Amino acid sequence: MTITSGQTVKKRLYDSKSFEKKYHYDGPLGARCGDGGTVFTLWAPTARAVVLRLYRDGGQDTETAHHPLAALPRGVWEYRSPQNLDGWYYDYLVTDAEGTTRRTADPYARACGLNGARSMVLDLARTDPAGWAEDRPPARGPEDIIYEVHVKDFTWDPASGVRDEWRGKYKGLAQRGTTLAGDGVHPTGLDYLLDLGVTHLQLMPVFDYGSVDEAGPDTAFNWGYDPVNYNVPEGSYATDPAHGEVRIRELKETIQALHRSGLRVIMDVVYNHTYKLDSWLWRTEPWYFYRQMPDGSPSDGSACGNDLATERGMCGRYILDSVLYWAEEYHMDGFRFDLMGLLDTDLMNRIRAALDARFGRGEKLIYGEPWSARRSAMRRGARPADKRGLVVLDSNVGAFCDMTRDLVKGHITRAAQPGFVNGGTATLAELCESVTGCTGGRHGFHAQAPSQTITYLSSHDDWTLWDKLILTMDPTHRFDEPLPQVLRANRLAAAICMTCQGHLFLLSGEEFGRTKQGLRDSFNAPVQLNRIDWRRAWSWRGLGEYYRGLMALRKQLPGLCDKSSRAVERLTQVWRPGRQCAAFLLDNSGGESRWRELMLVYNASGHPRNVVLPGAGWEILADADSSTLWQHPAAVQGAVQVEPTAALILGRI
Ligand code: CA
């Protein structure tokens, strides 16, 4: 696409208040069908003409009808058909002010054909599985433990025991009763997750994305951070991507099954850029939905070649509508915003308020990456929803806390630079900051309360936790060896993460030393490398058991689950029992907990440390090797020893 001087004119026009005033539109958009007929509505204020084309299928057949749309006020174009066109596919020819005509699908499409190239008119009620109207998420527990999953890599491994035709699909994610290579003994997939004790599944992109050919081989793989149709599920996870209703029904069935199993579902959303600048949004109203540099070229804060102009009225509306649509139509329980630092704080607060109004305060989780890849040309006056923006965001808009992540395991891009558990150092003040959910403003992370903090060690981005530990601790980089010293560091890292305030988050497989063989960015690497290795999940079960015990313990500790702005006051005492070792006393009152006070000891040194216990009534809840001691707690008094590279968690009854 060539950049012309006319683009700076467009930028001025779209940024002007008069344009906003004249063309802002709040009415329905997209295609709506019923017994009374079908209405097609498109917002394209500078277009000269718009023509609707209808098709019998979503693939290659030629058009069967051709209808010009009528221009209405506020930049809206409309065509009304007396027929119910349920099941028909369509696209538009939009002629812009310069006379150029472009084919485009509908940016507001709720259904589409193969690879999302054509939109589809669909009566969505037809896609509801039986019992969908009664579908409700499970009740929220004392803590949110979010587990990040990619639909394809979760069940692609034949050892997953998932039915062959469902492996790598939505339906595979929902299959119950699966075991390791069908051995009937070791649960895999959904059953494995329920046993682990996580509360929320965060699905990596399930909106329609462009980097995988939906008609291609089953081995095609991508994370999917390249949106094509924002309001349609991805087709490559459906058993039949060519019929638009199938992907919708199968995603709903999956969400219903997850809800019935006791899990909430969070959707990863990418409203910061599109697969290409030449998107349906761009073809409909060139440049309006995209930020531009002063010379008219596209802003590139996403490092993907284009940034959505979220601060513009109709772009913000588009994103808000999309979030509400997924929450209402698909019963999504939360949203994880990719590169949230490219969205503006005002929009994020409007999304929060709209979800609260419909579903109850804080009921839907909202959080995101509080950064961007680069600086973006956000309109003057708008404020990025990044780390510094947390102070003006609603206290229930959260952010991934890179401070604790890097403090524990080391630098995110420098492979050899360790963190606290793997040979580096951490000050007592830094560790206090992590324990209290990063509400002190260190490293620019300005959470108002732990309600805004996502505490984590690894996500799909960057090295897995295990790979980072190997890169820093084993000079020969044996990623598949369960090295005892590295396992100790992993357990210590997990114990720290799960005893810090904030919502908890982990990448699927972190609990069994998931490896990508040292590859830092696997977004388009083969599925064989990205896939969840179900044999490893069981052969490394000891580490997984440690995670499982920590999660179960965490849910019983109100002092750590507290999300209020006063949670920081629960930390009553901190000291160093020795070099590379820190101890914390926390008030654990409230709730039903057996323990009214907690002691956390993190020993990252290679030596045992002695810790004197203040007062009486202490029990050991977890140590270096076991995180389930709390099930049969042993009383201790006087002093306790903490093993090298290990955590010790104690409770006072
Ligand atoms: Ca797709």
Side-chain angles (χ1 to χ4, degrees), residues 115 208-210 212 214 234-235 247:
N115 285 319
D208 176 43
Y209 62 78
V212 165
E214 295 176 359
E234 163 59 15
R247 59 179 77 188

Side-chain angles (χ1 to χ4, degrees), residues 269 271 310 315-325 327 334-337 340 343-362 364-367 385 393-394 396-397:
V269 288
Y271 297 115
T310 66
C315 187
R317 182 205 151 171
Y318 181 82
I319 295 167
L320 175 61
D321 283 352
S322 180
V323 170
L324 291 175
Y325 174 70
F335 299 89
R336 174 264 186 202
F337 288 78
M340 188 172 72
L343 279 67
D344 59 292
T345 53
D346 186 56
L347 174 61
M348 289 306 301
N349 283 337
R350 277 186 284 135
I351 291 170
R352 178 73 269 173
L355 288 171
D356 286 350
R358 283 167 178 74
F359 302 98
R361 169 105 182 122
K364 305 284 180 187
L365 280 180
I366 291 191
Y367 55 93
L393 284 169
D394 185 286
N396 281 326
V397 176

Side-chain angles (χ1 to χ4, degrees), residues 232-243:
V232 184
E234 163 59 15
S236 64
Y237 304 144
T239 57
D240 176 4
H243 292 89

